[in-house]
Amino acid sequence: MSTVTLEDARRVIAAAEKKADEIGQPMNIAVVDSGGNLVAHVRQDGAWIGSVNISVNKAWTSRAFDISTKDLGDNAQPNQQFYGIHATNGGKVAIFAGGIPLSRDGAVVGAVGVSGGSGEQDHSVAEAGAAAF
């Protein structure tokens, strides 16, 4: 089974860091493998310590459900199909933007999670990282 290697994770993180620097927002950036296990994490200088676990949880959530956390969040609002999902898995499920699955040969093999800015900023930095995968 294909998964995210440390080399892959470093490439994703480097691209995400570049985007975070461009927008001037220090970020926490996490990459998980096909099992949702942390491969690598970076906390940029000045990034919130409270966002360390959030970035890891966004990556885990994105891999666990093979969906961006932004899209999952849209479907987790009251009267939507996944309302309440954030309370599952010991509260580990993140339902706000910043987590994006990483695919290889049509299969999800990991994910990137970003936290430290607005949802829009987190998502754009995660997209930059995912694009480098």
Side-chain angles (χ1 to χ4, degrees):
M1 177 183 196
S2 185
T3 192
V4 173
T5 65
L6 180 57
E7 182 182 344
D8 292 330
R10 286 178 170 153
R11 189 172 60 253
V12 168
I13 287 172
E17 282 187 284
K18 183 177 181 211
K19 179 67 172 181
D21 291 344
E22 284 173 11
I23 66 172
Q25 182 61 51
M27 295 286 191
N28 283 278
I29 305 154
V31 177
V32 298
D33 64 15
S34 59
N37 303 296
L38 185 65
V39 176
H41 177 272
V42 164
R43 177 176 164 246
Q44 292 187 295
D45 293 341
W48 297 327
I49 58 170
S51 289
V52 172
N53 284 342
I54 295 171
S55 66
V56 174
N57 287 349
K58 285 180 182 183
W60 180 87
T61 298
S62 193
R63 173 55 193 108
F65 298 103
D66 296 345
I67 188 173
S68 77
T69 55
K70 180 182 184 302
D71 291 341
L72 183 62
D74 290 345
N75 284 287
Q77 300 308 307
N79 300 315
Q80 296 298 312
Q81 62 181 340
F82 298 129
Y83 180 66
I85 198 169
H86 64 282
T88 68
N89 293 277
K92 193 174 181 178
V93 177
I95 59 167
F96 31 85
I100 297 180
L102 300 174
S103 297
R104 180 177 286 139
D105 300 324
V108 177
V109 296
V112 57
V114 176
S115 185
S118 68
E120 187 177 309
Q121 289 172 323
D122 291 356
H123 189 77
S124 70
V125 171
E127 281 183 321
F133 181 66

